[in-house]
Amino acid sequence: MQRIEQLKLELSKAIKESPEYIEYKRLEAIIDKDPNLKRSIDEFRRQNFDIQKVDDIFAAQEDLNNRYADMRRQDMVNRYLLSEVCLCRMVQDICRTVVETIEFDVDFLNN
């Protein structure tokens, strides 16, 4: 277990040193300076997460984008959200690699 703990620390450090994480944190610091914008972005993110569970995800996503169109027109907002997606994809890829390598059964999630 000690080896796994060491590798987790190394992986965390590598993620924090990655260009994806650095860009995300840079943009997050800019967004955080505007509490109203931060609140709107967080609400958008929360609703975006919630619609992943609905039956008609495409219609829900379109509706969400329409409701937040003004906010999404801001270049900084789009760059921030895109940087978040890049960081999430990197973490998902790490998780997927670990799960596939250790042959951990997660097929129940696909139902």
Side-chain angles (χ1 to χ4, degrees):
M1 192 65 161
Q2 185 177 3
R3 172 99 168 110
I4 291 173
E5 291 301 317
Q6 179 60 37
L7 290 172
K8 286 187 334 187
L9 292 173
E10 289 176 30
L11 180 57
S12 293
K13 184 176 187 268
I15 290 171
K16 288 179 179 179
E17 293 172 351
S18 72
E20 294 87 350
Y21 184 80
I22 292 168
E23 178 67 357
Y24 172 75
K25 293 305 283 183
R26 183 186 76 78
L27 293 169
E28 180 182 57
I30 294 169
I31 296 295
D32 285 347
K33 291 178 183 175
D34 184 339
N36 290 329
L37 181 59
K38 172 71 170 151
R39 203 172 7 265
S40 292
I41 290 172
D42 286 348
E43 183 59 29
F44 173 82
R45 293 165 67 213
R46 190 173 12 268
Q47 290 182 32
N48 191 41
F49 181 81
D50 287 344
I51 66 172
Q52 305 305 311
K53 305 171 210 163
V54 301
D55 290 332
D56 190 355
I57 191 170
F58 297 110
Q61 186 69 52
E62 185 175 345
D63 178 59
L64 180 64
N65 284 329
N66 288 338
R67 285 186 284 129
Y68 285 88
D70 290 340
M71 182 188 75
R72 296 292 312 269
R73 283 189 193 97
Q74 297 178 51
D75 182 55
M76 182 60 60
V77 170
N78 280 325
R79 289 185 2 217
Y80 172 70
L81 293 172
L82 180 59
S83 73
E84 180 181 56
V85 168
C86 291
L87 179 61
C88 287
R89 285 184 180 155
M90 180 177 62
V91 172
Q92 285 173 337
D93 187 49
I94 291 166
C95 292
R96 189 174 13 261
T97 300
V98 170
V99 168
E100 288 171 356
T101 304
I102 64 171
E103 299 177 17
F104 187 70
D105 181 12
V106 291
D107 289 341
F108 67 95
L109 296 172
N110 296 324
N111 294 331

PDB file of all heavy atoms in Angstrom, residues 29-42:
ATOM      1  N   ALA A  29      -8.543  31.621 -11.530  1.00  0.00           N
ATOM      2  CA  ALA A  29      -8.177  32.797 -10.732  1.00  0.00           C
ATOM      3  C   ALA A  29      -8.777  34.076 -11.320  1.00  0.00           C
ATOM      4  O   ALA A  29      -9.225  34.955 -10.576  1.00  0.00           O
ATOM      5  CB  ALA A  29      -6.655  32.917 -10.639  1.00  0.00           C
ATOM      6  N   ILE A  30      -8.833  34.152 -12.634  1.00  0.00           N
ATOM      7  CA  ILE A  30      -9.430  35.324 -13.288  1.00  0.00           C
ATOM      8  C   ILE A  30     -10.939  35.341 -13.049  1.00  0.00           C
ATOM      9  O   ILE A  30     -11.510  36.370 -12.687  1.00  0.00           O
ATOM     10  CB  ILE A  30      -9.103  35.326 -14.799  1.00  0.00           C
ATOM     11  CG1 ILE A  30      -7.593  35.517 -15.001  1.00  0.00           C
ATOM     12  CG2 ILE A  30      -9.899  36.413 -15.523  1.00  0.00           C
ATOM     13  CD1 ILE A  30      -7.121  35.269 -16.419  1.00  0.00           C
ATOM     14  N   ILE A  31     -11.576  34.199 -13.258  1.00  0.00           N
ATOM     15  CA  ILE A  31     -13.030  34.084 -13.070  1.00  0.00           C
ATOM     16  C   ILE A  31     -13.411  34.392 -11.622  1.00  0.00           C
ATOM     17  O   ILE A  31     -14.419  35.054 -11.356  1.00  0.00           O
ATOM     18  CB  ILE A  31     -13.524  32.679 -13.475  1.00  0.00           C
ATOM     19  CG1 ILE A  31     -13.307  32.416 -14.962  1.00  0.00           C
ATOM     20  CG2 ILE A  31     -14.979  32.447 -13.069  1.00  0.00           C
ATOM     21  CD1 ILE A  31     -14.090  33.284 -15.906  1.00  0.00           C
ATOM     22  N   ASP A  32     -12.616  33.932 -10.684  1.00  0.00           N
ATOM     23  CA  ASP A  32     -12.914  34.122  -9.257  1.00  0.00           C
ATOM     24  C   ASP A  32     -12.944  35.587  -8.836  1.00  0.00           C
ATOM     25  O   ASP A  32     -13.523  35.928  -7.806  1.00  0.00           O
ATOM     26  CB  ASP A  32     -11.900  33.368  -8.384  1.00  0.00           C
ATOM     27  CG  ASP A  32     -12.150  31.864  -8.366  1.00  0.00           C
ATOM     28  OD1 ASP A  32     -13.226  31.427  -8.813  1.00  0.00           O
ATOM     29  OD2 ASP A  32     -11.257  31.135  -7.899  1.00  0.00           O
ATOM     30  N   LYS A  33     -12.353  36.459  -9.638  1.00  0.00           N
ATOM     31  CA  LYS A  33     -12.337  37.888  -9.312  1.00  0.00           C
ATOM     32  C   LYS A  33     -13.694  38.555  -9.530  1.00  0.00           C
ATOM     33  O   LYS A  33     -13.920  39.663  -9.055  1.00  0.00           O
ATOM     34  CB  LYS A  33     -11.267  38.606 -10.147  1.00  0.00           C
ATOM     35  CG  LYS A  33      -9.866  38.217  -9.748  1.00  0.00           C
ATOM     36  CD  LYS A  33      -8.840  38.899 -10.629  1.00  0.00           C
ATOM     37  CE  LYS A  33      -7.437  38.443 -10.251  1.00  0.00           C
ATOM     38  NZ  LYS A  33      -6.426  38.984 -11.143  1.00  0.00           N
ATOM     39  N   ASP A  34     -14.572  37.881 -10.244  1.00  0.00           N
ATOM     40  CA  ASP A  34     -15.911  38.413 -10.515  1.00  0.00           C
ATOM     41  C   ASP A  34     -16.940  37.464  -9.890  1.00  0.00           C
ATOM     42  O   ASP A  34     -17.348  36.480 -10.515  1.00  0.00           O
ATOM     43  CB  ASP A  34     -16.131  38.528 -12.023  1.00  0.00           C
ATOM     44  CG  ASP A  34     -17.452  39.165 -12.386  1.00  0.00           C
ATOM     45  OD1 ASP A  34     -18.384  39.184 -11.549  1.00  0.00           O
ATOM     46  OD2 ASP A  34     -17.570  39.648 -13.534  1.00  0.00           O
ATOM     47  N   PRO A  35     -17.357  37.731  -8.646  1.00  0.00           N
ATOM     48  CA  PRO A  35     -18.255  36.806  -7.935  1.00  0.00           C
ATOM     49  C   PRO A  35     -19.565  36.511  -8.665  1.00  0.00           C
ATOM     50  O   PRO A  35     -20.049  35.380  -8.638  1.00  0.00           O
ATOM     51  CB  PRO A  35     -18.528  37.512  -6.604  1.00  0.00           C
ATOM     52  CG  PRO A  35     -17.413  38.477  -6.437  1.00  0.00           C
ATOM     53  CD  PRO A  35     -16.992  38.872  -7.817  1.00  0.00           C
ATOM     54  N   ASN A  36     -20.132  37.493  -9.342  1.00  0.00           N
ATOM     55  CA  ASN A  36     -21.380  37.265 -10.081  1.00  0.00           C
ATOM     56  C   ASN A  36     -21.157  36.325 -11.259  1.00  0.00           C
ATOM     57  O   ASN A  36     -21.966  35.429 -11.510  1.00  0.00           O
ATOM     58  CB  ASN A  36     -21.994  38.578 -10.553  1.00  0.00           C
ATOM     59  CG  ASN A  36     -22.539  39.391  -9.399  1.00  0.00           C
ATOM     60  OD1 ASN A  36     -22.981  38.842  -8.389  1.00  0.00           O
ATOM     61  ND2 ASN A  36     -22.489  40.703  -9.529  1.00  0.00           N
ATOM     62  N   LEU A  37     -20.076  36.550 -11.981  1.00  0.00           N
ATOM     63  CA  LEU A  37     -19.749  35.683 -13.106  1.00  0.00           C
ATOM     64  C   LEU A  37     -19.447  34.274 -12.603  1.00  0.00           C
ATOM     65  O   LEU A  37     -19.931  33.291 -13.171  1.00  0.00           O
ATOM     66  CB  LEU A  37     -18.559  36.234 -13.896  1.00  0.00           C
ATOM     67  CG  LEU A  37     -18.140  35.424 -15.117  1.00  0.00           C
ATOM     68  CD1 LEU A  37     -19.279  35.287 -16.115  1.00  0.00           C
ATOM     69  CD2 LEU A  37     -16.916  36.071 -15.768  1.00  0.00           C
ATOM     70  N   LYS A  38     -18.690  34.172 -11.532  1.00  0.00           N
ATOM     71  CA  LYS A  38     -18.353  32.872 -10.937  1.00  0.00           C
ATOM     72  C   LYS A  38     -19.623  32.125 -10.546  1.00  0.00           C
ATOM     73  O   LYS A  38     -19.771  30.935 -10.818  1.00  0.00           O
ATOM     74  CB  LYS A  38     -17.446  33.079  -9.727  1.00  0.00           C
ATOM     75  CG  LYS A  38     -17.174  31.845  -8.916  1.00  0.00           C
ATOM     76  CD  LYS A  38     -16.268  30.880  -9.633  1.00  0.00           C
ATOM     77  CE  LYS A  38     -15.833  29.772  -8.672  1.00  0.00           C
ATOM     78  NZ  LYS A  38     -15.561  28.541  -9.349  1.00  0.00           N
ATOM     79  N   ARG A  39     -20.552  32.828  -9.931  1.00  0.00           N
ATOM     80  CA  ARG A  39     -21.820  32.231  -9.523  1.00  0.00           C
ATOM     81  C   ARG A  39     -22.603  31.724 -10.744  1.00  0.00           C
ATOM     82  O   ARG A  39     -23.134  30.611 -10.733  1.00  0.00           O
ATOM     83  CB  ARG A  39     -22.641  33.259  -8.739  1.00  0.00           C
ATOM     84  CG  ARG A  39     -23.664  32.694  -7.821  1.00  0.00           C
ATOM     85  CD  ARG A  39     -24.337  33.711  -6.897  1.00  0.00           C
ATOM     86  NE  ARG A  39     -24.056  35.122  -7.073  1.00  0.00           N
ATOM     87  CZ  ARG A  39     -23.119  35.809  -6.389  1.00  0.00           C
ATOM     88  NH1 ARG A  39     -22.366  35.214  -5.506  1.00  0.00           N
ATOM     89  NH2 ARG A  39     -22.933  37.105  -6.610  1.00  0.00           N
ATOM     90  N   SER A  40     -22.633  32.509 -11.802  1.00  0.00           N
ATOM     91  CA  SER A  40     -23.335  32.105 -13.032  1.00  0.00           C
ATOM     92  C   SER A  40     -22.672  30.895 -13.679  1.00  0.00           C
ATOM     93  O   SER A  40     -23.353  29.966 -14.116  1.00  0.00           O
ATOM     94  CB  SER A  40     -23.362  33.253 -14.038  1.00  0.00           C
ATOM     95  OG  SER A  40     -24.161  34.302 -13.579  1.00  0.00           O
ATOM     96  N   ILE A  41     -21.366  30.912 -13.733  1.00  0.00           N
ATOM     97  CA  ILE A  41     -20.635  29.784 -14.321  1.00  0.00           C
ATOM     98  C   ILE A  41     -20.873  28.519 -13.501  1.00  0.00           C
ATOM     99  O   ILE A  41     -21.120  27.443 -14.049  1.00  0.00           O
ATOM    100  CB  ILE A  41     -19.130  30.093 -14.428  1.00  0.00           C
ATOM    101  CG1 ILE A  41     -18.890  31.163 -15.495  1.00  0.00           C
ATOM    102  CG2 ILE A  41     -18.327  28.829 -14.751  1.00  0.00           C
ATOM    103  CD1 ILE A  41     -17.461  31.682 -15.536  1.00  0.00           C
ATOM    104  N   ASP A  42     -20.804  28.647 -12.185  1.00  0.00           N
ATOM    105  CA  ASP A  42     -21.027  27.476 -11.325  1.00  0.00           C
ATOM    106  C   ASP A  42     -22.434  26.920 -11.486  1.00  0.00           C
ATOM    107  O   ASP A  42     -22.632  25.698 -11.491  1.00  0.00           O
ATOM    108  CB  ASP A  42     -20.748  27.813  -9.864  1.00  0.00           C
ATOM    109  CG  ASP A  42     -19.269  27.939  -9.570  1.00  0.00           C
ATOM    110  OD1 ASP A  42     -18.447  27.546 -10.430  1.00  0.00           O
ATOM    111  OD2 ASP A  42     -18.919  28.433  -8.474  1.00  0.00           O
TER     112      ASP A  42
END
